[in-house]
C-alpha cells in the first residue's frame, strides 16, 4: 500500500522576478514540505510559468496574512548541490532594492547568471558534475619593485580601514597598487576573495591578462575569473559558480559583478571609479561604485577607488572633514602624481579653430605634427566621440534632413555600407539617390564622425613615408561599428600594440585604460559640444575624457626619450579660453574639481543635494507629462513623509523625447536630505501605481535614484 505524500506544511517567503511595476510586493509566499534555509535557490510556479526563486528571510512581523480561502502554491523543486546565497549577499540585494526603489525579487534574480535562471534541479546537478577541478599552482611570479609613491599608497592601504581614493595621474602605476593589495589580502587568508571592477568590457581582457600573469602561478588558472555581459551564458555561469563556491579567488568584471556571490570577500577595487558606465541604465538603475562602497562597509572588506579624474562625489568625500558637511572626510585620499619611470605628462596644445581655414577637419599645425610623428615611426591617436561618417544628410534645396521616422533624432550616415542608421532605435535604411522630398540629387553630409576622419586622414597621409622601412602610413579606426564581431576589438588592439597602425581614430572606448606604448600624440578634434550641454555634469565628464585621452600619450618613458620629443595632447576648439581647457593645459584636476564643487555648492546640486528622476514613457507626450503632473499633485495632496524637504520640478520632455515611437518625459526631484528623499519615494510608490491605472496612454514609468544624466 502506498503511503500518501506528506502535504507541504512550511510557509516560505521567496523572492521572484515579478513583472515590472506589478505591485505584487517584494516577496511571495509558497509552501514547502521541509524547511529551507534563506538563500536556497528553488523553482516555483508563477502564473502559468515556472521560474527561479530565492528563499528569503522571513519578515520580522511575519508578513501580511494570506487572504481567507487562499492556499499557497507549493514550490516545484530545490536546486540542490548549491550552497545557499549567504546573508551578506541578501543584505546587499535588500539594500539595493530599497535604495533604488525596485522589488527585492527583481534585483536578486537580475543579479544571478541568466543561464542559472533557466536551469532545473536535474540540469544544475549535471552542470555541477561537469565543473572543472581547481588547477594546482605553480611557482610564484617575481615581485615588482614599487616606486616611492606606490609604496606609500600600499602602506597606507594596509594600515587603515578605508575607503581609499587612489588619485593617480595616468601612467602612475595604480594597477600595480591594486595587484599588491590583492596579493596581501589573499595571502593573509586562504579563503579570501577580491573583486575588481572595470567600467567597460574592452578593459577586462587586458587587465585579466595582467592579473593572471601575477596570480595564476600562485593559485592556479581557475583562481581568476571574469564576469561581464560579453561572455556566453555557460561562461558566465561557470565563473559565477566558481566565485560562489570560493574556488575563484579573484573576480574581474563590469558593473554587474558587484552582485557576484563572494563568501570570502576581503577587497574591492573600483578602477576608473568616475566612469558613468558604472551606472545601470535599464531595470534597477543601481550605481556599482556606490554599491561596492556599501558592500565593503557591510562585509568589512577594504575598498579602493582609483582614478586620474575622480568623480566630484568621491573627490568631495575625500576632502578634509568640514563641520556641518557629513559627506566630506569619509574617504582617505592617496595621491600619486608622478608617472612610472620618470615619464612626463603630455604637453597640451590648444588650437583656436577661429584662426584656421574654414571647413578643415584638421588644422595645418595639427596635421604637420601628426605627419612629423608618423614619419619618425611614432603612433598618434585621434579622438572624436561620434561614430559614423556624418551625423546627418541634408538637402540644401528644400531643407530635408535624414530624420529617423521613429525617433526625434537624425539617422546617421554610414558611408562604408551606404546606410542611414538611427543610433537610438536601430532603424536602418539605404542612402537615397536623391532627396526624398524634392528630388534634388545634391544631398550632402553635415558634421563629422570617426569614419570620415579615417577617410580624410588616409588621404592626407597617403604620401607620408614611415620610418627607415619606407612604407606608407596606415590609418585604422576603432569604434562600436568596427568591433561588433566577436574578438574584433582584441584583434585590432593587437595590431596597434604591434606597431602595425600609425594613426588610430577612435571614440572614447580607446581613450581610457589602454596601455599604448608607442603613442606620443593624442588629438581631440571636436570636443566643444559638451561645453554647453544642459547636463550639469558635462564639463566634469569632458575634462575627464580629455585628460584620460591625454594619458594614452608618452606612457613609455624610455621610448619617448629615445624619440627625442615630448608627448603632446592637441585640442582643436572654437573656445580656447574656456576654463576646462585652461585647467587641462595644466593637468590640474584638483583646481578644476574644487571650482566645479564651489559652483555646485552655490547651486545646491550633487554632491550637496540628492536627486531622483521619475520618467514616463507613453504613446503621446501629453499622456507622459499628464501622468507625471497627476502623480505630483497626488503626492502633494497626500502630504507624504519627507515631502516638505523635497522639491518637485515640473515635467519636461527628454532631450530625445521620442524613441521607437514612444514619447518620453521626466520630472526631477531634489532634496537636501537623502533620508527625506528616500522616505518620500517609498511612500509615493502606491500613488504612482494608482495613477498608472488612470492613464491609458502610459506604457511604463520608472524611478532613477541618483541619476547620472539629466
Amino acid at each position: 500500500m502506498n503511503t500518501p505524500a506528506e502535504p507541504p506544511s512550511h510557509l516560505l517567503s521567496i523572492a521572484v522576478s515579478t513583472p515590472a511595476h506589478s505591485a505584487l510586493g517584494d516577496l511571495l509566499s509558497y509552501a514547502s514540505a521541509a524547511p529551507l534555509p534563506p538563500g536556497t535557490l528553488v523553482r516555483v510556479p508563477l502564473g502559468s510559468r515556472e521560474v527561479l526563486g530565492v528563499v528569503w528571510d522571513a519578515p520580522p512581523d511575519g508578513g501580511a496574512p494570506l487572504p481567507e480561502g487562499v492556499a499557497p502554491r507549493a514550490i516545484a523543486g530545490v536546486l540542490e548541490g548549491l550552497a545557499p546565497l549567504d546573508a551578506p549577499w541578501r543584505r546587499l540585494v535588500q539594500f539595493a532594492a530599497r535604495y533604488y526603489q525596485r522589488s527585492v525579487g527583481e534585483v536578486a534574480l537580475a543579479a544571478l547568471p541568466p543561464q542559472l535562471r533557466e536551469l532545473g534541479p536535474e540540469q544544475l546537478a549535471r552542470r555541477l558534475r561537469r565543473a572543472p577541478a581547481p588547477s594546482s599552482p605553480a611557482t610564484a611570479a617575481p615581485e615588482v619593485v614599487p616606486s616611492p609613491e606606490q609604496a606609500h599608497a600600499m602602506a597606507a592601504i594596509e594600515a587603515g580601514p578605508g575607503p581609499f581614493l587612489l588619485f593617480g595621474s595616468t601612467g602612475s602605476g595604480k594597477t600595480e597598487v591594486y595587484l599588491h593589495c590583492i596579493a596581501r589580502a589573499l595571502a593573509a587568508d586562504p579563503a579570501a576573495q577580491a573583486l575588481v571592477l572595470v567600467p567597460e568590457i574592452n578593459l577586462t581582457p587586458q587587465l585579466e591578462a595582467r592579473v593572471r600573469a601575477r596570480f595564476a602561478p600562485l593559485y592556479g588558472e581557475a583562481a581568476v575569473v571574469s564576469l561581464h555581459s560579453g561572455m556566453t551564458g555557460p561562461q558566465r555561469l561557470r565563473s559565477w559558480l566558481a566565485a560562489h563556491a570560493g574556488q575563484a579567488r579573484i573576480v574581474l568584471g563590469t558593473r554587474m559583478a558587484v552582485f557576484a556571490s563572494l563568501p570570502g570577500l576581503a577587497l574591492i577595487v573600483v578602477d576608473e571609479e568616475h566612469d558613468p558606465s558604472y551606472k545601470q541604465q535599464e531595470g534597477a538603475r543601481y550605481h556599482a561604485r556606490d554599491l561596492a562602497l556599501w558592500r565593503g562597509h557591510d562585509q568589512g572588506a577594504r575598498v579602493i577607488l582609483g582614478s586620474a579624474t575622480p568623480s566630484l562625489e568621491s573627490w568631495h568625500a575625500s576632502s578634509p572633514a568640514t563641520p556641518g558637511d557629513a559627506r566630506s572626510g569619509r574617504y582617505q585620499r592617496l595621491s600619486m602624481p608622478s608617472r612610472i619611470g620618470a615619464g612626463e605628462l603630455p604637453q597640451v596644445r590648444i588650437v583656436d579653430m577661429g584662426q584656421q581655414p574654414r571647413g578643415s577637419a584638421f588644422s595645418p599645425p595639427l596635421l604637420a605634427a601628426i605627419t612629423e610623428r608618423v614619419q619618425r615611426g611614432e603612433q598618434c591617436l585621434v579622438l572624436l566621440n561620434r561614430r559614423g561618417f556624418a551625423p546627418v544628410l541634408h538637402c540644401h534645396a528644400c531643407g530635408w534632413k535624414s530624420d529617423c521616422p521613429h525617433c526625434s533624432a537624425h539617422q546617421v550616415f554610414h558611408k562604408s555600407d551606404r546606410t542611414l542608421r538611427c543610433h537610438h532605435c536601430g532603424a536602418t535604411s539605404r542612402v537615397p539617390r536623391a532627396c526624398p522630398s524634392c528630388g534634388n540629387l545634391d544631398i550632402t553630409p553635415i558634421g563629422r564622425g570617426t569614419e570620415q576622419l579615417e577617410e580624410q586622414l588616409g588621404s592626407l597621409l597617403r604620401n607620408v613615408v614611415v620610418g627607415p622601412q619606407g612604407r606608407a602610413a596606415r590609418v585604422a579606426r576603432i569604434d562600436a561599428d568596427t568591433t561588433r564581431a566577436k574578438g574584433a576589438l582584441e584583434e585590432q588592439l593587437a595590431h596597434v600594440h604591434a606597431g602595425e597602425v600609425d594613426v588610430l581614430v577612435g571614440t572614447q572606448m580607446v581613450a581610457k585604460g589602454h596601455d599604448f606604448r608607442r603613442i606620443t600624440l593624442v588629438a581631440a578634434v571636436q570636443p566643444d559640444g559638451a561645453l554647453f550641454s544642459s547636463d550639469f555634469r558635462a564639463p566634469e565628464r569632458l575634462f575627464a575624457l580629455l585628460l584620460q585621452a591625454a594619458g594614452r600619450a608618452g606612457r613609455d618613458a624610455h621610448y619617448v626619450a629615445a624619440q627625442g620629443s615630448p608627448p603632446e595632447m592637441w585640442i582643436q576648439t572654437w573656445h580656447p579660453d574656456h576654463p576646462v581647457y585652461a585647467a587641462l593645459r595644466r593637468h590640474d584636476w584638483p583646481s578644476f574639481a574644487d571650482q566645479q564643487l564651489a559652483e555646485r555648492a552655490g547651486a545646491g546640486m550633487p554632491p550637496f543635494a540628492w536627486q531622483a528622476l521619475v520618467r514616463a514613457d507613453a504613446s503621446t507626450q501629453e499622456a507622459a507629462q499628464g501622468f507625471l503632473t497627476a502623480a505630483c499633485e497626488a503626492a502633494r495632496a497626500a502630504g507624504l513623509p519627507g515631502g516638505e524637504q523635497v522639491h518637485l520640478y515640473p515635467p519636461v520632455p527628454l532631450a530625445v523625447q521620442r524613441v521607437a515611437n514612444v514619447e518620453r518625459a521626466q520630472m526631477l526631484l531634489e532634496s537636501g536630505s537623502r533620508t527625506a528623499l528616500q522616505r518620500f519615494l517609498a511612500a509615493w510608490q502606491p500613488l504612482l501605481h494608482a495613477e498608472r491605472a488612470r492613464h491609458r496612454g502610459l506604457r511604463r514609468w520608472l524611478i532613477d535614484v541618483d541619476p547620472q544624466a539629466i
Side-chain angles (χ1 to χ4, degrees):
M1 181 176 178
N2 293 331
T3 304
E6 183 181 345
S9 58
H10 296 273
L11 198 63
L12 301 177
S13 295
I14 296 181
V16 297
S17 186
T18 52
H21 305 109
S22 60
L24 287 177
D26 269 352
L27 305 171
L28 301 183
S29 297
Y30 287 90
S32 171
L36 296 174
T40 302
L41 294 178
V42 294
R43 303 290 299 182
V44 297
L46 182 66
S48 59
R49 300 176 298 138
E50 185 179 289
V51 300
L52 183 69
V54 183
V55 178
W56 215 258
D57 306 81
D61 57 0
L66 291 172
E68 188 175 349
V70 175
R73 303 176 74 178
I75 64 172
V78 180
L79 273 64
E80 297 176 346
L82 202 60
L85 293 156
D86 61 14
W89 186 88
R90 301 196 303 277
R91 289 197 300 269
L92 173 68
V93 168
Q94 191 97 27
F95 169 79
R98 183 175 67 250
Y99 186 81
Y100 294 104
Q101 302 295 318
R102 310 297 288 203
S103 73
V104 169
E106 180 186 9
V107 176
L109 274 297
L112 300 176
Q115 196 171 58
L116 183 61
R117 300 199 291 265
E118 305 301 324
L119 295 180
E122 298 80 8
Q123 295 167 309
L124 178 62
R126 289 197 298 269
R127 181 60 56 88
L128 292 174
R129 285 195 294 270
R130 294 202 305 265
S135 55
S136 56
T139 57
E143 282 289 327
V144 176
V145 179
S147 69
E149 289 179 1
Q150 288 175 323
H152 177 267
M154 294 169 183
I157 293 171
E158 291 170 15
F164 303 94
L165 175 62
L166 187 59
F167 170 51
S169 66
T170 53
S172 62
K174 294 186 291 295
T175 302
E176 186 57 41
V177 175
Y178 304 155
L179 298 180
H180 173 87
C181 293
I182 293 171
R184 292 297 296 261
L186 300 191
D189 181 354
Q193 294 173 294
L195 173 63
V196 182
L197 299 179
V198 294
E200 295 184 16
I201 294 171
N202 66 74
L203 300 180
T204 311
Q206 181 176 330
L207 183 60
E208 182 179 10
R210 190 165 174 183
V211 172
R212 283 194 183 280
R214 179 70 64 90
F215 294 104
L218 290 171
Y219 302 106
E221 287 291 335
V224 181
V225 300
S226 292
L227 273 175
H228 55 76
S229 60
M231 303 168 68
T232 65
Q235 288 173 332
R236 281 176 63 176
L237 179 59
R238 191 181 308 118
S239 293
W240 187 91
L241 290 172
H244 177 66
Q247 295 171 350
R249 305 293 304 279
I250 304 170
V251 175
L252 295 90
T254 51
R255 60 177 176 262
M256 68 167 61
V258 75
F259 286 108
S261 175
L262 295 160
L265 184 63
L267 175 70
I268 304 177
V269 173
V270 185
D271 193 27
E272 308 293 358
E273 64 85 28
H274 67 278
D275 200 287
S277 299
Y278 283 120
K279 176 71 170 178
Q280 171 73 9
Q281 295 299 333
E282 298 292 338
R285 300 193 167 204
Y286 63 88
H287 200 300
R289 177 200 62 213
D290 296 345
L291 287 183
L293 288 162
W294 189 94
R295 188 175 190 180
H297 178 267
D298 180 65
Q299 291 190 241
R302 280 190 171 88
V303 180
I304 305 172
L305 311 179
S307 178
T309 54
S311 64
L312 292 188
E313 287 81 2
S314 297
W315 186 258
H316 181 58
S318 67
S319 60
T322 304
D325 185 355
R327 289 185 63 84
S328 62
R330 294 182 298 123
Y331 306 167
Q332 183 177 347
R333 186 187 301 169
L334 306 172
S335 296
M336 297 199 312
S338 305
R339 279 187 152 184
I340 293 296
E344 58 182 310
L345 293 169
Q347 297 179 4
V348 178
R349 301 185 181 276
I350 308 294
V351 178
D352 184 355
M353 293 304 288
Q355 306 296 321
Q356 304 302 319
R358 285 206 169 268
S360 58
F362 298 93
S363 62
L366 173 57
L367 183 59
I370 292 175
T371 302
E372 181 182 349
R373 299 273 180 175
V374 170
Q375 287 175 332
R376 291 205 300 261
E378 301 172 26
Q379 293 176 319
C380 302
L381 171 63
V382 176
L383 173 68
L384 176 60
N385 208 21
R386 182 185 294 138
R387 59 191 174 96
F389 189 87
V392 61
L393 286 183
H394 179 240
C395 174
H396 293 282
C398 70
W400 172 87
K401 293 180 180 177
S402 56
D403 293 330
C404 175
H406 312 294
C407 306
S408 53
H410 301 307
Q411 284 187 308
V412 177
F413 172 39
H414 289 257
K415 187 177 180 180
S416 59
D417 57 3
R418 301 293 297 174
T419 61
L420 296 173
R421 299 185 214 155
C422 177
H423 291 174
H424 297 278
C425 73
T428 302
S429 60
R430 301 297 301 173
V431 174
R433 294 181 179 275
C435 174
S437 179
C438 69
N440 176 31
L441 294 174
D442 187 19
I443 51 177
T444 57
I446 296 178
R448 296 184 178 88
T450 51
E451 190 180 340
Q452 185 177 158
L453 290 190
E454 179 191 23
E455 179 182 283
Q456 291 186 356
L457 273 173
S459 175
L460 292 169
L461 301 177
R462 64 184 181 277
N463 296 321
V464 174
V465 177
V466 180
Q469 61 268 46
R471 61 170 176 79
R474 293 173 292 201
V475 181
R477 170 169 54 98
I478 294 182
D479 56 25
D481 294 324
T482 65
T483 57
R484 287 178 179 171
K486 185 174 179 59
L489 176 61
E490 290 79 3
E491 180 181 354
Q492 293 180 54
L493 289 174
H495 290 319
V496 177
H497 290 301
E500 298 170 9
V501 173
D502 301 301
V503 181
L504 175 62
V505 178
T507 56
Q508 64 174 355
M509 67 189 301
V510 296
K512 52 193 174 185
H514 298 286
D515 191 17
F516 299 121
R517 310 304 291 176
R518 295 175 59 185
I519 286 181
T520 58
L521 182 147
V522 174
V525 176
Q526 291 179 335
D528 287 347
L531 295 177
F532 308 103
S533 169
S534 58
D535 190 341
F536 67 89
R537 286 188 173 88
E540 171 192 359
R541 289 184 175 157
L542 175 62
F543 191 104
L545 175 61
L546 294 179
L547 195 62
Q548 292 284 338
R552 300 317 104 202
R555 297 179 70 86
D556 189 332
H558 297 294
Y559 179 78
V560 171
Q563 298 303 107
S565 58
E568 294 177 324
M569 170 68 173
W570 288 70
I571 299 173
Q572 295 189 157
T573 173
W574 294 90
H575 306 277
D577 298 325
H578 196 281
V580 168
Y581 300 137
L584 188 68
R585 181 176 291 186
R586 304 188 303 270
H587 295 274
D588 192 357
W589 173 259
S591 294
F592 173 78
D594 292 342
Q595 174 264 330
Q596 287 285 300
L597 285 171
E599 287 186 7
R600 293 196 192 177
M605 290 180 172
F608 305 98
W610 286 264
Q611 296 178 331
L613 281 176
V614 181
R615 204 181 89 185
D617 295 354
S619 55
T620 66
Q621 187 63 213
E622 291 74 18
Q625 293 197 36
F627 165 77
L628 295 175
T629 301
C632 179
E633 292 171 352
R636 291 195 175 108
L640 299 181
E644 67 282 355
Q645 299 182 63
V646 178
H647 181 74
L648 284 77
Y649 291 87
V652 295
L654 269 72
V656 180
Q657 70 177 56
R658 180 168 54 93
V659 171
N661 295 320
V662 174
E663 292 285 338
R664 311 184 302 167
Q666 65 184 13
M667 181 167 58
L668 178 66
L669 290 75
E670 200 168 64
S671 176
S673 166
R674 175 185 283 181
T675 302
L677 181 60
Q678 283 288 322
R679 290 173 60 209
F680 180 88
L681 291 173
W684 200 16
Q685 290 264 8
L687 302 182
L688 288 166
H689 284 296
E691 286 299 331
R692 185 191 187 194
R694 301 188 186 104
H695 291 75
R696 292 187 177 274
L698 183 72
R699 298 196 179 188
R700 54 188 166 266
W701 61 270
L702 61 87
I703 295 177
D704 185 358
V705 180
D706 299 337
Q708 294 298 298
I710 298 176

